[in-house]
Amino acid sequence: MSNLDSIAFHQGEFKPLKDCTVNIMTHALQYGTMVFGGIRGYYNKNKDNVFLFRPYDHFQRLHNSAKIMQMKPPYSIEEMVNILKELVKRNQYRSNIYFRPFIYKSALRLSPSLHDVEDSFSVYTLLLDDYLDTNRGLRVAVSSWRRIDDNIIPTRAKVSGGYANSALAKSEALLNGFDEAIFLDSRGYVSEGSAENIFIVRNGVLYTPPNHAALLEGITRRSIIEIAKRENIPIEIRDIARSELYIADEVFFTGTGAQVAWIAEIDRRIIGKGSIGPITKHLKEKFNKIVYGEEPEYSDWIVPVY
Ligand code: PMP
């Protein structure tokens, strides 16, 4: 996946990934003070072009994350989008790619304070198709770890330090033989996966937990909500109880990595008929066409590189 000779962006320059290093005293390495994004580029063979999916929304969220963490983004949103385009061109990518942009506290400083500590921006790229296997149903488990809440480490901010929480849940799930974890928030309501938002379907209605359920404001989640509205699929944003997961007709994850990934089993209860449900299937197919630039009415979500 990672290619150390690929061109990345670091310390204001485009250079090989192997030369993009930081000092061991770096504030972000010591305290998890980095905010990041994950963005996809999709290669459409017929159009011979790479389409970035909602990069402006992703970088707006990165700027928001930076604001919460008292960081000053070194580049504007427009400049960041241009850096992604330049990375695709310099790497001559004609394939599906994943970008990992981040702003980090780059000072060599002992104190964990945030203000008056310098910030830097870097991006690396990976070749990435599926992050979770989206062709089969996932087997998932409700985590024994609770999601961190807004007054602990805001999940809205996508701070690297907060991902210790995701890492604990993800490893617990994998080591117990599951594919992924579902977090409950501190109140005990369904929050999200370790790196995905979650949707359920009951009696033809789509539900997803609200922003106050300690989740990341996912761009894919926002896209699925918008698609459902335009397609006249009833959608409600409300708290979901754990036991509702077990009796849902359909459950799926959304995320830049996961895309739309359907769930076959939760805590050893088969979801619905144990196969991909009709609403999930429809949304997954629609989403897939949109990201490859095949749906003209969603063309404002994609940015061509070439
Ligand atoms: N929740 C968490 C915790 C995540 O890390 C991600 C991945 N960025 C998501 C949800 C999905 O967000 P998005 O659709 O913006 O990738």
Side-chain angles (χ1 to χ4, degrees), residues 54-214:
R54 305 190 76 166
Y56 290 93
D57 299 282
H58 276 282
F59 284 128
Q60 180 63 60
R61 184 175 70 193
L62 188 69
H63 275 237
N64 291 348
S65 294
K67 190 169 189 183
I68 293 170
M69 293 304 288
Q70 296 186 276
M71 294 173 166
K72 288 181 211 71
Y75 299 96
S76 69
I77 291 172
E78 191 68 45
E79 286 169 330
M80 289 181 175
V81 174
N82 287 335
I83 289 169
L84 294 197
K85 288 184 183 170
E86 191 59 30
L87 281 170
V88 174
K89 289 178 189 160
R90 288 190 187 226
N91 285 295
Q92 299 177 359
Y93 283 135
R94 283 187 148 72
S95 49
N96 287 351
I97 36 193
Y98 179 84
F99 303 91
R100 170 52 59 84
F102 55 98
I103 303 170
Y104 66 103
K105 292 263 161 227
S106 50
L108 310 184
R109 185 77 78 86
L110 188 62
S111 152
S113 63
L114 291 172
H115 65 286
D116 285 341
V117 180
E118 95 195 9
D119 307 303
S120 299
F121 174 71
S122 303
V123 192
Y124 66 82
T125 62
L126 297 174
L127 296 180
L128 184 70
D129 282 314
D130 275 351
Y131 166 74
L132 295 171
D133 188 344
T134 55
N135 294 313
R136 66 179 176 87
L138 300 173
R139 295 181 60 248
V140 308
V142 171
S143 186
S144 72
W145 298 95
R146 284 293 167 99
R147 194 72 176 125
I148 40 179
D149 78 21
D150 205 52
N151 289 298
I152 297 177
I153 301 173
T155 50
R156 175 174 288 107
K158 210 162 167 57
V159 188
S160 60
Y163 278 73
N165 184 228
S166 286
L168 288 164
K170 180 79 183 185
S171 267
E172 178 190 58
L174 293 176
L175 292 173
N176 285 337
F178 296 97
D179 298 308
E180 187 48 282
I182 297 174
F183 275 118
L184 305 180
D185 67 14
S186 57
R187 303 166 308 153
Y189 286 98
V190 174
S191 175
E192 60 177 346
S194 72
E196 308 84 13
N197 293 115
I198 191 165
F199 287 79
I200 70 169
V201 176
R202 292 190 67 190
N203 302 319
V205 182
L206 194 55
Y207 300 95
T208 196
N211 288 346
H212 66 239

